[in-house]
């Protein structure tokens, strides 16, 4: 990876060998009790084995150090193709992932001096940037940014540059991070580096000065970033797509102050050639945002955050996931329905199920949890323990799918009515087709 010895020492990089008991035996010989090793997540014990075994084996080790310089946990990266790629210490009395940021013990002074922080995804991004001279940098610990991490970071600066990978996972992480940081009063900008898929790749080819210049030139304000992502999805020259674009923009703008929203309404109307009046009316509607269909369109910041009107959608999501846990044969049909999932926890569990699904095999809870964030794993446990299917699983599944169809139909009815309310008279041919579709949908779904 090209790290200098000095960098490895600064970050305390080490290695856990392939043996099953090296650390456990060493620590016990040093007078540390087995109970303490297990409580701190350094060792584990299988039910059928009397002896302890090491939690980390065959991994490069990254100490997680708090802001007062104490090691509170570890991250371990596997060598080769093993899974999971990264493994963090389990939660303990001294370690909570959601309350720590990687590298902040070394970089907090530089963050204050520079007046802003660069927030990246991984340990190696932090180390590469730090070694190259970009020292106002920190990373989350392999999970989505939490409110606790945002509170910690904004103690040192209110200006944050989100610099995540440009892939879909990085985009979704940036969208979630924006909302969490805004809730803490941060001024947020987003940068996706070019000439490389992540900051680690970029800084190996460029200097610290070039990286800072890239921030000045290419980073965009958080609201502008969200609007650009929405614009990519919709053709505003098409009436149906144009309405969807306006409604998606309105969801973003409703969260802003009146002054900020007004400025962005004017900018969006000018930049994208949409009706300023229609956008103002949509922003001014006194209604809850629609349930997100994809993580990239979600403005939610936590697995279970949703509006009260979405309780039925959350229950449907939970029931479908529980049925798939009981009978994995249901999964292919559920996976084909993006509208089955409405919470970040649901999307995350769905991604894990997609990765693990094999025909004629069951979903193992341990395998799923290994791929989930702490919040999503807790959500999965609550589904497994609390959701009951009181009759035939096959019939319950078909009932759920029928409910999804009905929800989709009702949503389309509302969508058509919105289109008709702002449509232009000269588009009569399109309007006739929409009215005919509306008639058929109302006949089928409105009793």
């Amino acid at each position: 990876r090209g790290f200098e010895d000095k960098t490895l020492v600064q970050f305390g990089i080490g290695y856990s060998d392939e043996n099953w008991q090296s650390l456990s035996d060493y620590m016990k010989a040093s007078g540390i009790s087995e109970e303490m090793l297990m409580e701190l997540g350094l060792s584990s014990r299988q039910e059928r084995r009397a002896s302890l075994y090491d939690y980390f084996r065959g991994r490069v080790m990254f100490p997680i150090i708090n802001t007062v310089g104490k090691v509170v946990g570890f991250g371990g990266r596997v060598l080769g193709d093993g899974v999971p790629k990264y493994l963090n210490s389990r939660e303990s009395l001294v370690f909570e992932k959601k309350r720590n940021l990687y590298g902040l013990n070394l970089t907090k002074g530089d963050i204050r001096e520079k007046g802003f922080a660069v927030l990246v995804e991984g340990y190696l991004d932090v180390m590469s940037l730090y070694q190259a001279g970009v020292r106002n940098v920190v990373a989350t610990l392999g999970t989505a940014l939490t409110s606790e991490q945002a509170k910690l970071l904004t103690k040192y600066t209110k200006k944050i540059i989100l610099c995540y990978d440009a892939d879909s996972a990085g985009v979704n992480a940036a969208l979630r991070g924006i909302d969490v940081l805004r809730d803490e009063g941060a001024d947020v900008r987003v940068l996706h580096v070019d000439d490389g898929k992540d900051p680690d790749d970029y800084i190996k080819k460029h200097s610290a000065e070039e990286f800072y210049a890239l921030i000045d030139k290419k980073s965009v304000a958080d609201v502008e970033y969200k609007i650009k992502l929405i614009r990519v999805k919709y053709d505003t020259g098409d009436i149906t797509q144009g309405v969807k674009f306006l409604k998606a923009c309105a969801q973003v703008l409703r969260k802003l102050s009146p002054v900020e929203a007004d400025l962005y309404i004017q900018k969006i109307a000018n930049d994208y050639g949409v009706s300023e009046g229609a956008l103002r009316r949509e922003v001014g509607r006194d209604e809850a945002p629609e349930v997100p269909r994809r993580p990239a369109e979600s403005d939610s910041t936590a697995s279970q955050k949703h509006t009260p009107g979405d309780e039925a959608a959350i229950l449907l999501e939970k029931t479908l996931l529980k049925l798939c846990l009981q009978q994995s044969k249901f999964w292919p049909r559920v996976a084909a329905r993006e509208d089955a999932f409405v919470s970040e926890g649901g999307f995350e569990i769905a991604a894990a199920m997609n990765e693990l699904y094999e025909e004629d095999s069951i979903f193992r809870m341990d395998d799923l949890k290994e791929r989930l964030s702490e919040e999503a794993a807790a959500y999965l446990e609550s589904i497994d323990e609390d959701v009951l299917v009181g009759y035939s699983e096959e019939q319950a599944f078909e009932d759920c799918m029928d409910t999804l169809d009905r929800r989709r139909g009702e949503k389309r009815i509302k969508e058509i009515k919105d289109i008709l309310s702002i449509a232009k008279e000269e588009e009569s041919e399109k309007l006739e087709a929409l009215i005919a579709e509306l008639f058929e949908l109302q006949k089928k779904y409105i009793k």
Side-chain angles (χ1 to χ4, degrees):
R1 290 281 185 163
F3 290 113
E4 301 167 1
D5 288 347
K6 179 182 178 182
T7 305
L8 299 177
V9 171
Q10 285 173 318
F11 285 88
I13 306 305
Y15 175 69
S16 57
D17 65 33
E18 295 280 1
N19 296 322
W20 283 74
Q21 294 175 290
S22 294
L23 180 67
S24 299
D25 289 347
Y26 176 83
M27 297 298 278
K28 286 194 294 183
S30 301
I32 307 300
S33 70
E34 291 189 356
E35 290 73 20
M36 180 63 73
L37 292 173
M38 292 177 67
E39 188 172 354
L40 294 176
L42 296 173
S43 303
S44 299
R45 175 183 280 122
Q46 291 180 335
E47 291 181 9
R48 298 181 181 180
R49 295 181 56 161
S51 58
L52 296 181
Y53 65 90
D54 297 345
Y55 183 65
F56 296 101
R57 301 181 304 281
R59 293 176 179 271
V60 175
M61 299 299 295
F62 300 83
I64 299 165
I65 304 171
N66 66 17
T67 54
V68 295
K70 299 292 186 182
V71 176
V72 294
F74 295 94
R77 189 201 190 282
V78 72
L79 297 179
D81 299 323
V83 292
K85 184 176 179 181
Y86 281 96
L87 186 65
N88 280 322
S89 290
R90 293 192 291 264
E91 301 283 302
S92 71
L93 288 173
V94 297
F95 177 60
E96 289 182 90
K97 283 188 288 187
K98 66 182 181 180
R99 298 186 187 277
N100 290 275
L101 289 165
Y102 184 73
L104 188 58
N105 60 302
L106 292 176
T107 66
K108 58 186 180 182
D110 296 279
I111 289 170
R112 278 189 169 133
E113 184 179 334
K114 280 282 186 182
F116 69 96
V118 179
L119 181 59
V120 295
E121 288 188 67
Y123 306 137
L124 295 176
D125 293 329
V126 171
M127 292 176 62
S128 291
L129 289 170
Y130 190 89
Q131 179 173 277
V134 180
R135 300 198 164 179
N136 53 325
V137 58
V138 293
T140 53
L141 300 177
T143 57
L145 182 72
T146 67
S147 59
E148 291 84 359
Q149 289 170 330
K151 283 185 176 71
L152 177 61
L153 186 54
T154 52
K155 287 180 181 178
Y156 300 95
T157 182
K158 291 290 186 180
K159 186 175 179 181
I160 315 293
I161 309 295
L162 280 172
C163 187
Y164 290 167
D165 295 356
D167 58 13
S168 60
V171 170
N172 290 328
L175 288 170
R176 291 192 296 268
I178 286 169
D179 292 334
V180 176
L181 288 164
R182 262 197 172 252
D183 286 345
E184 297 304 322
D187 171 12
V188 189
R189 297 184 70 83
V190 181
L191 171 68
H192 290 309
V193 299
D194 49 18
D195 195 21
K197 69 175 184 177
D198 59 35
D200 181 30
D201 292 331
Y202 183 89
I203 204 65
K204 283 179 168 58
K205 302 173 186 176
H206 302 273
S207 66
E209 290 73 21
E210 288 173 301
F211 185 81
Y212 284 126
L214 188 69
I215 290 175
D216 291 337
K217 183 179 178 182
K218 293 289 186 71
S219 67
V220 297
D222 54 354
V223 176
E224 187 178 347
Y225 176 75
K226 285 186 174 185
I227 299 302
K228 284 183 175 181
L229 288 177
I230 294 169
R231 176 63 184 86
V232 170
K233 298 171 188 172
Y234 301 114
D235 174 11
T236 55
D238 175 85
I239 185 170
T240 302
Q241 295 283 303
V243 170
K244 289 182 178 180
F245 174 71
L246 288 176
K247 291 174 76 66
C249 289
Q251 286 194 37
V252 174
L253 300 183
R254 282 192 195 107
K255 298 186 175 184
L256 307 181
S257 69
V259 172
E260 195 176 8
D262 186 68
L263 292 172
Y264 273 106
I265 287 170
Q266 295 175 46
K267 180 174 173 57
I268 292 166
N270 290 332
D271 289 352
Y272 302 114
V274 297
S275 166
E276 182 177 330
L279 182 54
R280 286 188 185 280
R281 287 194 297 274
E282 188 63 37
V283 172
R285 282 193 181 186
D286 186 18
E287 62 177 26
E290 292 182 12
V291 176
R293 292 188 61 208
R294 290 175 178 269
E297 296 178 23
S298 173
D299 291 315
S300 175
T301 60
S303 303
Q304 301 344 305
K305 279 192 178 178
H306 54 276
T307 58
D310 298 334
E311 293 293 346
I314 291 291
L315 179 58
L316 182 59
E317 173 185 88
K318 288 181 174 181
T319 304
L320 283 168
L321 288 171
K322 178 59 178 280
L323 286 165
C324 290
L325 288 173
Q326 293 175 327
Q327 293 201 41
S328 61
K329 68 179 182 180
F330 295 140
W331 176 246
R333 286 179 63 189
V334 177
R337 297 290 298 264
E338 292 173 353
D339 52 343
F341 309 107
V342 296
S343 72
E344 287 193 21
F347 280 115
E348 197 174 330
I349 294 166
M353 283 184 163
N354 226 30
E355 185 179 336
L356 289 170
Y357 173 74
E358 292 181 6
E359 194 172 355
D360 299 324
S361 66
I362 63 171
F363 288 117
R364 291 170 49 86
M365 289 289 287
D366 288 345
D367 292 339
L368 286 168
K369 287 180 183 178
E370 203 170 70
R371 288 162 171 78
L372 300 176
S373 66
E374 177 188 347
E375 293 82 1
Y379 186 39
L380 180 64
E381 279 189 8
S382 73
I383 291 170
D384 188 44
E385 293 173 4
D386 300 338
V387 177
L388 299 176
V389 179
Y391 54 106
S392 161
E393 290 172 359
E394 281 73 13
Q395 186 58 54
F397 180 72
E398 294 303 330
D399 288 347
C400 286
M401 298 304 285
D402 287 345
T403 301
L404 275 182
D405 289 338
R406 176 172 294 280
R407 287 176 63 87
R408 177 183 286 180
E410 290 171 349
K411 183 178 179 182
R412 179 59 178 161
I413 288 169
K414 183 178 184 300
E415 187 177 85
I416 292 173
K417 288 180 177 179
D418 286 337
I419 293 170
L420 294 175
S421 71
I422 66 169
K424 301 173 184 175
E425 289 184 7
E426 57 265 30
E427 297 174 304
S428 58
E429 190 174 323
K430 287 183 179 179
L431 295 180
E432 287 177 9
L434 287 170
I435 291 169
E437 183 186 353
L438 178 62
F439 177 75
E440 291 300 321
L441 288 169
Q442 288 178 326
K443 189 166 64 173
K444 182 175 182 179
Y445 293 115
I446 298 181
K447 306 299 183 184

